[in-house]
Amino acid sequence: MTLTREAPPVVTKPPGPPKRRPRDGWANAIMVAPATVLYVVMLIVPVALALYLSLTDWDGFSANPAFVGAANYVDLLDDPELRRAALVTLLVAVAGTAGLNLLGLGFAVLVNGASRANTFFRIVLFYPHVLSALVVGFLWSAILGTNGAVNNLVTRWGGEVLPFLSDPTWATITMIAVLVWAGFGVNVVLYLAGLQAVPHSLVEAARIDGATRWQVFRNVTLPALGPSVTVNIVLSLVTLLKTYDLVVSLTAGGPAGQTQTVAYLILWNSFHDARLGFGSAQSVLLMLVTGALAFVVTKLRRRGELAVHQ
Amino acid sequence: MRKPFLWATVAFMLIPLYVLTVNAFKGQQDILENPFGFGGLTLEPLGTALTNPQFNVFKGYAITLLFVVAVNVLSVLLAAPAAYVIARSPKRRFRVLMLFFLAGTFIPGQVLVIPVVYVLKTLGLMGTIRGFVLFETVLTLPFSIFLYAGYIATIPAVLDQAAAVDGAGRLRTFWRIVFPLMKPAVATMVILNTFSVWNDFVNPQIILGPGSGLYTVTTGVYAAVSQYSTDYTVVFPTLLLAIAPLLVFFVFMQRHIISGLTAGATKG
């Protein structure tokens, strides 16, 4: 046997993704597990629990709430308080969405374009969104109350005290107005982002063809804004359907419970009246309505957009 | 036409803030007689509000700030690594996990607040700071993970591979190489979480409860103002103290805050 000394073949690894080491599987698990566990325990389990609790008479204290079947849902169908709250909520959501989007789109067009003044306008329109709805409500209730700043002016100029918050109809309108005042700055910013996406060449071309400002807006800008409009409307609806903090601070649901929203009623029933089972049933209903409405609006808008493009 | 209209709108937006500020420095009589004037300015109501036994403002700031910091730190520690695995792993199970987290962005907080009381009671965390911070953190997770995963996907994977070749494990690669590059996304989330925790009213009111003696700025304002809503020498200074830190923060960081909060608004 002869020993031939051969040089060991030199193996060069081809450059490429390094082999996955078995440790990586463990590392992945360690990185994902804490977030997932907490998410399941405090968000997924509660959603399932909301469904279960809505079938019980839980009062918030007992460890073993009794199962009552669909009784809460039956109660809820002929609860006059809920019917009124649902009406108020729907009114707030629809009128508020109209207000938020008309002002949002209108002002976005007005403050579009980069200039120092426009930046200042945007900041001023946006700032109420930074404040908590609770503070906004207390502030406006101090300004619009019977002895508030506005009525001070009104009476000084010889008018009668205006019942901004003491008459049910006025109070509902006041609430919608304050929600719009506090929120439309966000819609302005969202619509501004949408306006950046409108092709400048289209606008130019329409201008050259002799279209007026309004015609350009109506026939070029608005159709191109389609997706923005959908996003804004859905967001406004979903947010307004959950109105709670502002009710607490602006009207406290009054006068005589006439401005209670569904969200307000849910928390009132649950924590003031200790009927958490009943409150759960209402919250499940609110979740379904919110989801369905968002879905329907998105569908309708999409159909509208398709019609525009054809 | 456009400019005068916009300036009139500016006035309409700012007058409430003006009324709030000027009346925080006036007595009840002066406020009732002339809510817009400067008559009889005094520091006394502000001093009274600062020492209100119903609501200790500085303690409120401290507690709220503690919550804000705790939720932000915990949220980043939990969401960022999870988002990294989801964004980088080709495995199907992590894509499903993304959808699972995404579903959370559609669940309204109102639906959660009742059953969460049940969960927290079962865990013995009801009425505790730990329970409140954990729940607020969980509320931030779905959108954080969504945002972070999207951002990580824009960071070249070559960087990770280079680190792996140099012998860094997955955890080290993430925290040392990828995480420092995520600053813009983390900044957006921190702004968003800071405002949502600072302004939250329902959750601290119900989870911490009046019995715990732990007042955030919002629940403290509620305790101090709601029963004395006709005593303007309480209302205006308390509200001014509640919003002053946020407004200062907003004025200095407005560009980032507006884009951050707008990104948050679209989470639905």
Side-chain angles (χ1 to χ4, degrees):
Chain A
M1 209 177 199
T2 52
L3 282 166
T4 48
R5 285 191 145 224
E6 267 184 337
V10 183
V11 180
T12 44
K13 255 193 184 169
K19 252 195 209 155
R20 237 159 238 292
R21 286 163 296 184
R23 265 190 14 210
D24 283 356
W26 281 104
N28 280 347
I30 290 168
M31 291 170 97
V32 166
T36 312
V37 169
L38 208 60
Y39 175 72
V40 168
V41 171
M42 292 211 172
L43 217 139
I44 299 302
V45 168
V47 171
L49 214 52
L51 292 172
Y52 167 71
L53 288 173
S54 74
L55 305 174
T56 72
D57 68 347
W58 195 40
D59 58 2
F61 305 102
S62 69
N64 291 311
F67 190 80
V68 295
N72 287 326
Y73 289 92
V74 173
D75 283 356
L76 164 169
L77 285 178
D78 49 29
D79 179 5
E81 250 189 338
L82 178 65
R83 213 169 301 154
R84 194 175 55 207
L87 197 69
V88 171
T89 309
L90 210 63
L91 199 66
V92 165
V94 172
T97 298
L100 286 174
N101 285 278
L102 287 175
L103 290 187
L105 184 53
F107 278 97
V109 172
L110 285 181
V111 303
N112 193 16
S115 75
R116 282 187 148 229
N118 279 345
T119 310
F120 172 75
F121 290 138
R122 286 176 210 170
I123 295 170
V124 171
L125 299 183
F126 190 88
Y127 94 89
H129 185 67
V130 173
L131 315 178
S132 76
L134 194 79
V135 169
V136 168
F138 280 132
L139 176 55
W140 277 105
S141 89
I143 291 173
L144 295 175
T146 315
N147 296 319
V150 173
N151 272 321
N152 179 286
L153 281 185
V154 171
T155 47
R156 210 188 302 172
W157 292 332
E160 293 274 307
V161 169
L162 298 174
F164 288 108
L165 298 167
S166 44
D167 174 86
T169 313
W170 277 75
T172 311
I173 296 170
T174 302
M175 192 157 81
I176 295 168
V178 172
L179 282 166
V180 171
W181 177 87
F184 82 97
V186 181
N187 300 82
V188 171
V189 177
L190 286 171
Y191 277 119
L192 275 169
L195 284 173
Q196 308 310 313
V198 176
H200 204 67
S201 53
L202 277 183
V203 177
E204 292 276 284
R207 276 280 169 75
I208 290 168
D209 289 347
T212 63
R213 278 185 105 98
W214 169 250
Q215 283 174 323
V216 171
F217 178 75
R218 177 71 195 79
N219 297 314
V220 179
T221 313
L222 206 54
L225 273 178
S228 280
V229 176
T230 312
V231 168
N232 272 283
I233 289 180
V234 172
L235 284 179
S236 312
L237 273 178
V238 170
T239 311
L240 290 171
L241 282 171
K242 296 187 287 195
T243 304
Y244 173 75
D245 296 19
L246 194 82
V247 187
V248 171
S249 54
L250 187 68
T251 66
Q258 300 276 332
T259 58
Q260 289 178 337
T261 57
V262 173
Y264 186 89
L265 204 59
I266 290 174
L267 290 163
W268 182 267
N269 281 329
S270 302
F271 296 103
H272 186 268
D273 296 349
R275 295 174 70 198
L276 280 83
F278 188 55
S280 291
Q282 290 178 322
S283 67
V284 168
L285 195 74
L286 179 67
M287 177 165 66
L288 291 178
V289 170
T290 311
L293 222 59
F295 181 76
V296 168
V297 170
T298 315
K299 269 271 141 70
L300 283 178
R301 288 279 327 163
R302 189 154 301 154
R303 197 179 298 168
E305 274 158 40
L306 284 177
V308 166
H309 287 300
Q310 274 161 9
Chain B
M1 216 16 233
R2 176 179 160 264
K3 277 282 158 74
F5 177 67
L6 281 171
W7 285 109
T9 313
V10 166
F12 187 68
M13 298 306 289
L14 291 181
I15 282 172
L17 203 58
Y18 167 75
V19 170
L20 168 65
T21 313
V22 77
N23 288 330
F25 298 96
K26 288 178 2 189
Q28 179 84 347
Q29 207 49 45
D30 288 314
I31 297 173
L32 289 176
E33 273 166 21
N34 186 358
F36 297 98
F38 290 99
L41 292 186
T42 162
L43 284 173
E44 205 195 312
L46 205 65
T48 315
L50 283 172
T51 53
N52 185 348
Q54 219 102 28
F55 168 46
N56 181 334
V57 179
F58 290 112
K59 204 176 155 202
Y61 285 156
I63 291 177
T64 314
L65 209 59
L66 170 83
F67 290 158
V68 164
V69 171
V71 170
N72 272 313
V73 170
L74 209 58
S75 173
V76 170
L77 283 179
L78 290 169
Y84 174 68
V85 173
I86 288 171
R88 282 288 193 258
S89 173
K91 289 206 181 78
R92 197 186 139 79
R93 70 175 93 116
F94 292 119
R95 282 214 303 279
V96 174
L97 192 64
M98 179 79 252
L99 293 179
F100 184 53
F101 276 116
L102 213 52
T105 60
F106 295 102
I107 295 162
Q110 256 95 11
V111 179
L112 294 173
V113 67
I114 300 169
V116 151
V117 170
Y118 192 95
V119 172
L120 289 175
K121 276 196 168 150
T122 313
L123 297 174
L125 291 172
M126 187 66 185
T128 66
I129 291 180
R130 270 177 307 158
F132 174 70
V133 167
L134 279 179
F135 181 57
E136 286 278 349
T137 304
V138 169
L139 291 179
T140 70
L141 287 183
F143 191 62
S144 301
I145 290 176
F146 169 71
L147 197 80
Y148 292 157
Y151 195 84
I152 291 167
T154 67
I155 299 173
V158 187
L159 287 177
D160 309 31
Q161 287 157 11
V165 169
D166 290 346
R170 208 131 163 86
L171 279 163
R172 253 167 79 97
T173 306
F174 172 67
W175 288 113
R176 285 295 178 78
I177 310 290
V178 178
F179 185 68
L181 297 173
M182 289 170 59
K183 263 184 208 140
V186 173
T188 300
M189 270 328 293
V190 167
I191 285 171
L192 206 56
N193 296 341
T194 301
F195 280 96
S196 64
V197 173
W198 187 285
N199 285 335
D200 193 2
F201 171 64
V202 181
N203 294 316
Q205 180 79 353
I206 285 167
I207 295 177
L208 295 173
S212 67
L214 291 167
Y215 287 108
T216 65
V217 174
T218 51
T219 57
V221 163
Y222 180 72
V225 169
S226 60
Q227 287 157 34
Y228 306 93
S229 57
T230 51
D231 185 352
Y232 293 143
T233 58
V234 173
V235 175
F236 287 119
T238 308
L239 292 182
L240 184 65
L241 289 170
I243 65 169
L246 273 192
L247 276 184
V248 172
F249 184 43
F250 177 65
V251 168
F252 283 108
M253 306 269 297
Q254 42 85 11
R255 181 129 45 97
H256 303 280
I257 291 172
I258 290 180
S259 63
L261 290 183
T262 310
T266 52
K267 79 185 174 191

